[in-house]
């Protein structure tokens, strides 16, 4: 039986909307909203704290000094992942190089500089974003990093034959080298964040041009797989507005698959299904927002069935939202776990991020839940609630997210960057395109 509960768009619209900003405890507290663009007036520092610079700084160079001042005045612990001297030295080098860089090169260098703040993990919300007016075209498809490699999961008209094909190279560069070149640009809570969000950078020519991986005009994409030999396909990058209309913002999530439960209802917040043959109640929570009392009552009633042996909370592809809102669902899952020890299963993947990872952590800390799937992309204790800092004179006029708060949902000394699943099941292209979900099958058989 299926009940579709409380319809709302997914928060997975740009990083699940440029990373549905996570964090707040289940008790009411300040919490950021999903951020497709900066939602508050970006701030600029008035008293830069950078070390002495030449007297005649250009406005773009001054923007970087202002960014440093904002990082140091805003972030509770900005140098947790890199030494200040090292970071400021890299910033000064970028200031010195700016006059010789193309706008795209300057953008890619800034992404790398900002991402280096989180290379040790726990700060995956600090992205550099461009206004739509400055964004360059994007490759005309969507991709996902499966266990077997990078595959095209959806394509714009004229390129449909690419769907299901594995990408082996871009403009002659092997895909592993492309991914390695993109890695330093991705802010992260941990390694899984990179696998989840790297596709954002791989599809945008603003980044690919900035790294020297492609030039202007068409791009050669080498594809193989599906029993076919590798072949080169010339693709014309799509203008940004058309690509966004096709991809649903930034195309991070897996596209819909009607025969795969966690991918079958992409426009809903909560989906409840009873699986009588498996004696299971399945709840897919797809974006962290309020769950109505009627929805909680339906879940509680389903879980109370004495024949139920498995209560499955699926947080896969949930990029977060506002975690002042998940308290009622957390209570329902805790009650289910207390009533039937060993019955609660929590499923995560690389796109379980931000507020969704906080919910997962609270369940791990307070119940005997069994975790299944992939490690989450979000951390257990991490920084978030970003404040956007504008760089109006910098090439392409980006804004930078700077974390303002540390959220701790595990013990202070917990070294983990993600919750490792008790039942580890990789996400494969063969399963995805065949409509199979071996992770859920493993849970129901456990």
């Amino acid at each position: 039986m299926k009940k579709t509960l409380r319809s709302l768009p997914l928060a997975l619209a740009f990083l699940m909307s440029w990373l549905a900003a996570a964090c707040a405890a289940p008790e009411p507290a300040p919490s950021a909203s999903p951020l497709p663009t900066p939602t508050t007036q970006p701030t600029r520092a008035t008293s830069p704290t950078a070390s002495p610079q030449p007297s005649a700084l250009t406005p773009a160079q001054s923007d970087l000094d202002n960014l440093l001042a904002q990082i140091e005045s805003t972030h509770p612990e900005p140098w947790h992942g890199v030494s200040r001297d090292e970071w400021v030295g890299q910033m000064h080098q970028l200031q010195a190089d700016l006059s010789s860089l193309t706008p795209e090169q300057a953008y890619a260098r800034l992404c790398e500089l900002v991402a280096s703040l989180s290379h040790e993990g726990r700060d995956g919300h600090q992205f550099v974003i461009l206004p739509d007016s400055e964004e360059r075209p994007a490759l005309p498809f969507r991709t996902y990093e499966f266990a077997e490699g990078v595959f095209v999961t959806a394509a714009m008209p004229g390129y449909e034959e690419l769907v299901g094909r594995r990408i082996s190279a871009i403009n002659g560069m092997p895909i592993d080298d492309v991914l390695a070149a993109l890695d330093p640009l991705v802010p992260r809570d941990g390694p899984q964040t990179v696998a989840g969000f790297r596709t954002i950078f791989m599809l945008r020519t603003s980044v690919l041009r900035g790294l020297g991986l492609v030039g202007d005009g068409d791009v050669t994409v080498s594809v193989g797989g599906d029993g076919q030999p590798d072949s080169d396909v010339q693709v014309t990058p799509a203008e940004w507005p058309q690509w966004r209309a096709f991809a649903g913002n930034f195309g991070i999530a897996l596209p819909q698959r009607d025969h795969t439960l966690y991918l079958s209802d992409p426009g809903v917040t909560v989906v409840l299904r009873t699986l009588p043959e498996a004696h299971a109640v399945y709840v897919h929570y797809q974006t962290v927002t309020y769950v109505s009392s009627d929805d909680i009552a339906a879940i509680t009633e389903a879980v109370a069935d004495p024949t139920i042996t498995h209560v499955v909370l699926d947080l896969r592809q949930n990029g977060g939202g506002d975690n002042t809102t998940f308290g009622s669902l957390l209570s329902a899952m805790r009650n289910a776990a207390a009533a039937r020890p060993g019955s609660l299963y929590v499923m995560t993947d690389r796109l379980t991020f931000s507020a969704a990872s906080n919910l997962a952590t609270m369940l791990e800390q307070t119940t005997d839940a069994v975790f299944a799937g992939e490690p989450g992309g979000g951390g257990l204790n991490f920084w978030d609630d970003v404040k956007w800092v504008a760089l109006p004179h910098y090439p392409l006029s980006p804004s930078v997210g700077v974390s303002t708060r540390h959220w701790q949902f595990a013990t202070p000394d917990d070294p983990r960057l993600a919750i490792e699943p008790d039942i580890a099941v990789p996400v494969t292209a063969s399963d995805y395109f065949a409509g199979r979900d071996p992770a859920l099958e493993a849970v129901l058989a456990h």
Side-chain angles (χ1 to χ4, degrees), residues 144-151 164 427-436:
Y144 203 83
E145 293 185 27
F146 293 100
E148 307 96 322
V150 179
F151 281 71
V427 180
T428 68
S430 58
D431 289 327
Y432 168 74
F433 289 109
R436 296 188 296 263

Side-chain angles (χ1 to χ4, degrees), residues 22-23 121-125 189 323 353-355 357-358 361 378-384 405-409:
C23 305
R122 305 184 190 276
D123 224 336
H125 292 75
D189 280 356
N323 64 2
F353 188 68
S354 202
S357 65
N358 288 337
T361 301
L380 290 85
N381 300 327
F382 55 87
W383 285 267
D384 183 22
R405 188 168 181 174
H406 184 251
W407 292 100
Q408 180 180 298
F409 286 80

Side-chain angles (χ1 to χ4, degrees), residues 85-417:
D85 288 346
E86 178 183 350
W87 196 90
V88 172
Q90 293 170 352
M91 187 195 78
H92 287 167
Q93 187 61 57
L94 176 55
Q95 288 174 313
D97 294 343
L98 272 178
S99 62
S100 64
L101 300 177
T102 67
E104 292 86 354
Q105 288 171 333
Y107 171 58
R109 288 276 298 274
L110 179 63
C111 288
E112 183 173 0
L113 180 67
V114 172
S116 69
L117 294 168
S118 67
H119 280 176
E120 296 300 315
R122 305 184 190 276
D123 224 336
H125 292 75
Q126 295 192 132
F127 271 75
V128 181
I129 65 172
L130 298 181
D132 283 348
S133 60
E134 297 290 347
E135 192 56 271
R136 302 312 194 227
L139 301 185
F141 44 75
R142 293 168 60 179
T143 62
Y144 203 83
E145 293 185 27
F146 293 100
E148 307 96 322
V150 179
F151 281 71
V152 176
T153 56
M156 298 181 72
Y159 299 100
E160 294 90 345
E161 75 278 2
L162 296 180
V163 176
R165 303 293 300 277
R166 175 181 47 79
I167 297 177
S168 58
I170 294 178
N171 265 15
M173 177 175 282
I175 191 64
D176 287 346
D177 294 340
V178 172
L179 297 178
L182 296 171
D183 186 300
L185 278 63
V186 185
R188 65 204 67 183
D189 280 356
Q192 281 289 90
T193 319
V194 179
F197 296 155
R198 190 159 39 191
T199 186
I200 297 170
F201 298 87
M202 191 179 77
L203 298 178
R204 300 160 71 205
T205 60
S206 55
V207 173
L208 296 177
R209 293 174 186 172
L211 293 175
L213 303 181
V214 306
D216 295 334
D218 288 356
V219 175
T220 302
V221 178
S222 303
V223 294
D226 198 22
Q228 304 179 50
D230 283 8
S231 59
D232 292 342
V233 178
Q234 297 296 117
V235 304
T236 301
E239 293 301 318
W240 188 249
Q242 287 71 43
W243 191 87
R244 286 193 68 175
F246 147 75
N249 286 323
F250 289 73
I252 302 166
L254 285 166
Q256 180 176 351
R257 303 294 290 180
D258 289 339
H259 300 294
T260 306
L261 276 182
Y262 79 107
L263 301 173
S264 60
D265 295 282
V268 238
T269 299
V270 179
V271 174
L272 167 65
R273 294 184 187 238
T274 55
L275 308 174
E277 292 184 1
H279 303 287
V281 172
Y282 173 86
V283 179
H284 189 202
Y285 191 37
Q286 302 194 82
T287 183
V288 178
T289 189
Y290 285 104
V291 182
S292 73
S293 58
D294 288 344
D295 297 344
I296 294 298
I299 293 170
T300 302
E301 179 183 357
V303 169
D305 182 339
T307 67
I308 294 300
T309 60
H310 290 65
V311 178
V312 182
L313 178 63
D314 197 338
L315 300 177
R316 289 177 293 177
Q317 305 286 292
N318 185 329
D322 177 355
N323 64 2
T324 63
T325 64
F326 65 58
S328 59
L329 181 60
L330 173 64
S331 294
M333 294 297 108
R334 283 172 168 168
N335 291 340
R340 290 188 179 85
S343 67
L344 179 60
Y345 294 79
V346 178
M347 304 190 70
T348 60
D349 68 3
R350 68 194 63 174
L351 292 185
T352 305
F353 188 68
S354 202
S357 65
N358 288 337
L359 173 56
T361 301
M362 294 201 73
L363 287 168
E364 187 216 34
Q365 298 286 305
T366 60
T367 73
D368 63 354
V370 176
F371 280 74
E374 295 181 316
L380 290 85
N381 300 327
F382 55 87
W383 285 267
D384 183 22
D385 287 20
V386 296
K387 167 178 141 182
W388 292 101
V389 179
L391 280 65
H393 308 295
Y394 195 86
L396 303 183
S397 302
S399 292
V400 178
V402 179
S403 294
T404 66
R405 188 168 181 174
H406 184 251
W407 292 100
Q408 180 180 298
F409 286 80
T411 58
D413 58 349
D414 195 324
R416 295 174 297 163
L417 298 177

